[in-house]
């Protein structure tokens, strides 16, 4: 006999695939010969959504990968389940639509130090695959101080000693 085609049966994230002999079936049939009473179960196949670069799947559609995350665009996710994204490592952030971990960054801020101030060489430091490199600075020193270790993470202003050539 021909079994019902399953029209009207719904299950979010799954496709009806026929009738089977087990409650856990994932594929079934629509034609069967019966020789007495028999129980048949609706068979369902989990549907997946392919990940897209720069996009996060929110369970029903792809949206721009949010700031603070990156979306490689590899793999797949079950329909009805959010996925296709990873958080930036180490409290980093990213611009919306980031497609790799190296798009994640930390913000480098200027700061006041004894004898002057430090200005970041770059406003951000991007993740290199294993860590965020230290922010690098240029020191602008007050009179009586001299800059040391310019364009490095350890830039500083040193108080001039007697005999030093200081501005």
């Amino acid at each position: 006999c021909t079994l019902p085609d399953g029209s009207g049966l719904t299950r979010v994230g799954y496709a009806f695939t026929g009738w089977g002999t087990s409650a856990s079936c994932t594929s079934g049939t629509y034609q069967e010969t019966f020789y007495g009473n028999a129980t048949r179960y609706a068979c369902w196949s989990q549907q997946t959504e392919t990940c897209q670069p720069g996009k996060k799947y929110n369970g029903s559609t792809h949206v721009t990968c949010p700031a603070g995350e990156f979306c490689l665009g590899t793999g797949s996710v079950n329909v009805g389940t959010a996925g296709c994204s990873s958080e930036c490592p180490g409290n980093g952030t990213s611009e919306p639509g980031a497609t790799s971990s190296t798009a994640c960054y930390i913000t480098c801020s200027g700061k006041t130090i004894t004898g002057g101030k430090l200005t970041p060489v770059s406003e951000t430091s991007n993740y290199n695959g294993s860590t965020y490199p230290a922010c690098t600075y240029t020191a602008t020193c007050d009179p009586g101080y001299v800059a040391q270790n310019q364009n490095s993470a350890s830039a500083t202003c040193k108080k001039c000693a007697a005999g030093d050539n200081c501005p």
Side-chain angles (χ1 to χ4, degrees):
C1 79
T2 300
L3 298 168
D5 65 6
S7 59
L9 296 178
T10 59
R11 185 176 174 194
V12 175
Y14 291 81
F16 177 76
T17 60
W19 300 96
T21 57
S22 164
S24 61
C25 61
T26 57
S27 64
T29 183
Y30 293 93
Q31 294 279 343
E32 189 168 343
T33 302
F34 291 95
Y35 298 101
N37 291 338
T39 300
R40 293 296 175 258
Y41 299 89
C43 298
W44 301 96
S45 174
Q46 173 73 58
Q47 300 297 289
T48 60
E49 189 69 34
T50 301
C51 297
Q52 299 175 10
K55 301 287 186 178
K56 178 177 185 169
Y57 184 70
N58 68 8
S60 61
T61 189
H62 289 277
V63 296
T64 299
C65 195
E69 298 180 16
F70 62 97
C71 303
L72 296 173
T74 59
S76 62
V77 64
N78 291 340
V79 170
T81 305
C84 298
S85 71
S86 299
E87 289 187 8
C88 286
N91 296 319
T93 192
S94 64
E95 299 300 321
T99 59
S100 75
S101 64
T102 57
C104 297
Y105 61 89
I106 56 172
T107 301
C108 301
S109 301
K111 48 190 164 184
T112 301
I113 59 171
T114 301
K117 68 178 183 172
L118 297 179
T119 304
V121 173
S122 173
E123 292 184 12
T124 61
S125 178
N126 283 66
Y127 190 72
N128 65 16
S130 60
T131 188
Y132 292 98
C135 296
T136 56
Y137 297 93
T138 298
T140 304
C141 301
D142 297 336
Y145 288 83
V146 64
Q148 292 189 320
N149 304 318
Q150 290 287 57
N151 299 317
S152 75
S154 59
T156 189
C157 292
K158 177 185 168 200
K159 187 164 181 64
C160 293
D164 286 345
N165 183 14
C166 283

